[in-house]
Amino acid sequence: MVPEFGQMALIVALVLAGLQTVIPLVGVQARREWLMAYARPLATGQAVFLMASLLALTYAFVVDDFSVAYVAANSNSQLPTPYKVSAVWGAHEGSLLLWVTMLGWWGLAVAWFSRSLPLDMVARVLSIMGMVSVGFILFTVQTSNPFERHLPTAPMDGADLNPLLQDFGLIVHPPTLYMGYVGLSVVFAFALAALMGGRLDAAWARWSRPWTTAAWIFLTMGIALGSWWAYYELGWGGWWFWDPVENASLMPWLVATALMHSLAVTEKRGLFKSWTVLLAIFAFSLSLLGTFLVRSGVLTSVHAFASDPERGVFILALLGICVCGSLLLYAIKAPTVASVGRYEWVSRESFLLMNNLVLLVSAFAILLGTLYPLVIDFMGLGKLSVGAAWFNTMFVPLSVLLALIIGMGSMSRWKSDGLSRLGNELRWAFLAALVLAVAAPFIANGEWNWQVVMGLGVAFWLVAATLVDLWKKSRGRLKRIPTLGMSYMGMIIAHLGVAVSIIGVTMVSNYSLETSVKIAPGESAVLGNYRFEFAEFGHIEGPNFTSDATRFNVWRDEKLMEVLTAEKRRYNVSGQVMTEAAIDVSLLRDVYISMGEPLADGAWGMRLQVKPYMRWVWLGAIFMCIGGGLAVMDKRYRARQTRKVALSNEAVA
Amino acid sequence: MTRWLLFIPLAVTLAMGVLFWIGLGKEDKDALPSPLVGQPFPSFEAKALLSGEAISAASLPAKPMLVNVWATWCPTCKAEHAFLNQLAKQGITIVGINYKDDDAKAREWLKAYGDPYDFNISDPDGKLGLELGVYGAPETFLVDSQGTIRGKHIGDLNTRVWQKLQPQFEAMK
């Protein structure tokens, strides 16, 4: 009964979304306020019914209702309850339901937090979000119904959740990432609504900023969680693979980052309007593209969902309507909203424009690398996959350039600035970064190479330039820092986060040690100044798996540092074998042990790694999220004086 | 500004759309080239699933065959099983590789759903699967009478896929 209720709720949500698309928009056209006023309650109702539907599916998982085909394929009675819940989004159908439910939540958030917006704007925004909802709920109901029954013969037990997914990482990573993807629909809706109304002003930019930042925070967190999860769960110690699915999340992130910055220019200076709108369209389009690539089977990836041409066609049509429709609207309407205002070659506007270009070029390079195999195949030139080498060659120099720009950009003034002034302010920061970077490999006791010097150099530069800026703005008084405003502090912390991540990436890519050894109990292997002693071998019984386990004593400079247990699990139901790496985590390095294959005489093939500064890669992401959070909380976004804002902007322009 | 410039994003998007449309239509889209095509079937030593006899590459029948990688934990394998039964009835030789599976469960499965296989190679650790570059189950290899691999299909076999593979299979005779 409950699954049928879930399906009904989904269909009701579809109907509400349809009404939400039509009624408010008719209201706007006919200038009928009472029709526009339907937008909020309809969005609320849609969110409630989507939530009910998601809960119904979750219930089916928790009570082991294997008569539901999706539950039977992705769960099992032995599965621990938390994983039964996360199995809801363990495969295509359920994750799509989660996706649309989150779309409902964002609509709900817009409905609740848009009191300061003019009603016709709210009506347009929610109508556009309703349109996106209609598309995706229809997609779910038509091609990917998670409530379909296995009748009349229901299996006794389920096929089990993919063991890869039986992990804390799966509980948190996809929902966070989806929140980010879907959150971009809000900015997209705002941009289209502004285009339709011909009102691309500072007020529009101000409304869009916190929403963009919120979606961006989720996206950042989702990507970082995914990388962290891959690192500890997949057992080979990698944290970024340039897999098409990873790329699918990185592209919207890069464009959303550009969008956050160009929105700042649009709000403060009334410039880049048309460009900002285009970025808002691109950011959401790329998150839809990601959905398409993952779910259509067009590309081969380690974590793409099962391919199904019918789904591919449907989602391609959705993508086509959504992206082409908005770009057409853009092409027609953008000329009416041309920006006025001037800025010099050396100015904050210029630096932000450069930042935008670099970010966009990066996103484009990744898009190219991701789609290239498809193009080659299409031209009949054979099949290939683009490896990490391409992405690194493109991405590394662009990141260096970006870091250099951030350092100067956040220091620069609006409208007009001088290179000599910037040089004066920043030359010590530059020199200090250079000296430190050249010396760093000696301090870290590592091999001297230019990649390290370059990577650390830009990170130090970023830190130094940010601190100089903080020093100047607070005029050297720590007490004044809190008065500089949440947005400013957010920016400082986020930029420091970029530096922290760059340090992590540089160190771990250049100074990781690893070895694969054949080792028997009692024997030792040496790696750097670590000695790994194979202490014992045993078996562990888990709730739904049994595992072979190896215990290692890790000695550093002949002092016992840690006892680590790596496992190889065999899941009872599926029979799949999973490697559970043992990781000793610390701020300056990770020690990583994973089990390979059993060899003769009780020996095992083992993979031993020491990864310096691994945590910094994700620590930087945490900084960025905190920075974003501070920016969202800035009280000026909560002010209701929208009219004043618009007026003051005209004065500036 | 020249207005037509504003239509560039739309044009690029449309071009990409066409590309995806074609990409979707391609049947063999998941098939990265298998480096094993044209190579002899890798040598192996294993046990037959049902009889328990020791078998090796020399045990493969000297006629064109399908080598099908499957497991009881794989839902898609269940979906394709009926079609394999059908193929076997048409006289097509199918050798199974029971991949990363439990022997007892695999035997039960064959009893319950029918056995289309000439014999099954038990590959509990996925060692042979590794040699064959198996991504996951199901996968099917076309192997000729000399034991040379001629083709590979990732995903389930069904009527639609077989229409495409059959000419190649017939050509191996």
Side-chain angles (χ1 to χ4, degrees), chain B residues 34-41 142 144 147-151:
Chain B
S34 170
L36 289 169
V37 170
Q39 302 283 320
F41 198 85
L142 302 179
D144 70 14
T148 307
I149 296 174
R150 290 294 172 200

Side-chain angles (χ1 to χ4, degrees), chain A residues 297 327 332 378 383 572-574, chain B residues 3 13 22 28 31 73 105:
Chain A
L327 287 175
I332 294 167
F378 163 51
K383 287 184 177 284
N572 300 340
V573 177
S574 64
Chain B
R3 282 198 61 169
T13 307
I22 294 165
D28 54 347
W73 48 262
K105 275 191 185 159

Side-chain angles (χ1 to χ4, degrees), chain A residues 246-491:
Chain A
E246 287 174 358
N247 294 346
S249 64
L250 190 59
M251 288 186 283
W253 184 83
L254 290 166
V255 176
T257 311
L259 175 61
M260 279 197 306
H261 291 90
S262 91
L263 272 169
V265 183
T266 308
E267 190 206 344
K268 300 253 170 166
R269 300 272 300 120
L271 291 165
F272 298 0
K273 287 175 186 168
S274 153
W275 172 248
T276 303
V277 169
L278 195 58
L279 284 180
I281 296 174
F282 279 165
F284 185 57
S285 301
L286 284 170
S287 73
L288 291 183
L289 177 71
T291 312
F292 169 73
L293 291 181
V294 179
R295 293 169 195 274
S296 66
V298 157
L299 290 173
T300 315
S301 152
V302 280
H303 42 350
F305 291 98
S307 60
D308 179 334
E310 189 200 348
R311 284 177 195 160
V313 170
F314 198 115
I315 201 163
L316 184 62
L318 262 183
L319 193 66
I321 296 169
C322 193
V323 182
C324 293
S326 48
L327 287 175
L328 188 66
L329 183 67
Y330 168 80
I332 294 167
K333 286 281 200 169
T336 61
V337 293
S339 305
V340 276
R342 299 184 163 277
Y343 58 97
E344 303 293 323
W345 280 106
V346 180
S347 64
R348 191 162 208 161
E349 289 90 327
S350 290
F351 282 114
L352 284 169
L353 189 62
M354 281 192 267
N355 136 311
N356 269 221
L357 289 177
V358 174
L359 285 166
L360 216 64
V361 169
S362 311
F364 187 70
I366 295 172
L367 185 65
L368 217 60
T370 311
L371 298 185
Y372 185 68
L374 201 62
V375 179
I376 291 298
D377 184 21
F378 163 51
M379 287 162 61
L381 297 175
K383 287 184 177 284
L384 53 82
S385 52
V386 174
W390 152 266
F391 294 106
N392 288 335
T393 344
M394 296 302 294
F395 207 64
V396 169
L398 286 168
S399 311
V400 169
L401 192 60
L402 187 64
L404 290 175
I405 295 171
I406 300 175
M408 283 187 283
S410 41
M411 188 81 203
S412 62
R413 293 175 180 159
W414 292 109
K415 246 172 156 172
S416 160
D417 205 334
L419 272 185
S420 57
R421 186 193 79 87
L422 282 175
N424 272 334
E425 303 269 23
L426 290 170
R427 64 182 169 202
W428 292 110
F430 188 79
L431 262 174
L434 195 68
V435 171
L436 266 176
V438 173
F442 299 108
I443 300 165
N445 232 343
E447 185 194 340
W448 199 94
N449 73 43
W450 66 269
Q451 282 123 321
V452 176
V453 172
M454 179 96 107
L456 294 182
V458 294
F460 293 158
W461 152 253
L462 198 47
V463 173
T466 305
L467 291 182
V468 167
D469 189 42
L470 190 61
W471 176 261
K472 294 277 172 194
K473 294 241 164 63
S474 64
R475 287 185 235 132
R477 303 273 295 277
L478 282 179
K479 255 191 286 180
R480 292 180 58 91
I481 291 179
T483 65
L484 294 173
M486 300 269 257
S487 290
Y488 178 76
M489 285 315 294
M491 178 190 85

Side-chain angles (χ1 to χ4, degrees), chain A residues 460-540:
Chain A
F460 293 158
W461 152 253
L462 198 47
V463 173
T466 305
L467 291 182
V468 167
D469 189 42
L470 190 61
W471 176 261
K472 294 277 172 194
K473 294 241 164 63
S474 64
R475 287 185 235 132
R477 303 273 295 277
L478 282 179
K479 255 191 286 180
R480 292 180 58 91
I481 291 179
T483 65
L484 294 173
M486 300 269 257
S487 290
Y488 178 76
M489 285 315 294
M491 178 190 85
I492 295 287
I493 291 172
H495 285 174
L496 290 177
V498 175
V500 169
S501 285
I502 293 178
I503 292 173
V505 171
T506 307
M507 294 300 277
V508 79
S509 328
N510 286 285
Y511 290 149
S512 286
L513 301 171
E514 69 167 87
T515 177
S516 296
V517 292
K518 177 193 171 196
I519 189 167
E523 293 178 352
S524 280
V526 174
L527 185 63
N529 46 5
Y530 294 87
R531 185 164 66 82
F532 297 83
E533 182 193 1
F534 191 163
E536 90 183 280
F537 175 78
H539 293 278
I540 296 176

Side-chain angles (χ1 to χ4, degrees), chain A residues 22-40 118-124:
Chain A
V22 178
I23 297 178
L25 211 56
V26 170
V28 173
Q29 289 303 321
R31 296 177 196 278
R32 293 277 186 279
E33 288 217 347
W34 64 277
L35 283 176
M36 297 186 214
Y38 271 108
R40 286 196 179 103
L119 189 59
D120 61 333
M121 187 77 170
V122 179
R124 285 200 180 99

Side-chain angles (χ1 to χ4, degrees), chain A residues 9 78 89 231 331 348 359 421 510 583 650:
Chain A
Q78 288 177 42
W89 53 87
Y231 170 80
R348 191 162 208 161
L359 285 166
R421 186 193 79 87
N510 286 285
I583 308 171
E650 274 159 35

